[in-house]
Amino acid sequence: MDLVYIRELEVETIIGIYDWEREIRQRINLDLDMGTDIRQAANTEDVDNTLNYKTVSDRLIEFIEQSEFQLVETMAEQIAEIVMTEFGVKWLRLRLGKPGAVPQAKDVGVIIERGVRG
């Protein structure tokens, strides 16, 4: 299995459980590893034969900017569902961070893996 990845994608959204968090946009960041097979794209040099990280990024930015979640766990699950369903990804690892949520920490969040690797 090959991996197509996106690192440190930053998007502003409404996320959090506290009243003040529901009134402002906060930055989240994500890293995404997506299991795929890049051989056909490598052989043809045709972007239509690959998992296009620009297309995935654009879709996730649009989704996250328009969303309002209370928990990063819910957002992570829905991002995973989009990537797997809309882009045919069979396995992924997603790190979703909410910097600033804990003042003493640089970043906090969740890491999830979904699907079958191999």
Side-chain angles (χ1 to χ4, degrees):
M1 176 190 307
D2 306 312
L3 296 177
V4 171
Y5 68 89
I6 299 168
R7 293 288 179 264
E8 298 183 28
L9 184 66
E10 294 186 354
V11 186
E12 289 192 357
T13 190
I14 294 175
I15 187 157
I17 59 172
Y18 300 109
D19 289 341
W20 66 267
E21 290 181 300
R22 311 302 302 157
E23 297 174 8
I24 63 167
R25 298 184 73 75
Q26 296 181 72
R27 183 171 48 98
I28 61 99
N29 58 54
L30 64 89
D31 293 336
L32 185 60
D33 296 325
M34 301 169 284
T36 190
D37 186 339
I38 67 165
R39 289 178 287 190
Q40 185 178 8
N43 289 333
T44 64
E45 288 209 64
D46 185 347
V47 71
D48 292 333
N49 293 329
T50 193
L51 177 58
N52 187 323
Y53 47 77
K54 172 76 166 105
T55 304
V56 174
S57 296
D58 288 346
R59 173 66 175 102
L60 295 180
I61 290 166
E62 177 186 24
F63 170 73
I64 293 166
E65 285 180 340
Q66 295 177 6
S67 299
E68 292 187 21
F69 292 101
Q70 292 187 359
L71 299 177
V72 293
E73 291 86 348
T74 309
M75 181 184 284
E77 285 293 342
Q78 291 198 19
I79 289 170
E81 181 66 24
I82 287 169
V83 172
M84 296 179 85
T85 302
E86 295 182 18
F87 297 97
V89 170
K90 303 294 183 205
W91 175 88
L92 65 79
R93 176 185 302 122
L94 168 68
R95 183 201 57 79
L96 179 61
K98 188 177 170 188
V102 175
Q104 297 83 353
K106 183 176 181 179
D107 195 14
V108 297
V110 297
I111 298 173
I112 64 171
E113 288 188 26
R114 297 293 177 266
V116 178
R117 187 173 183 167

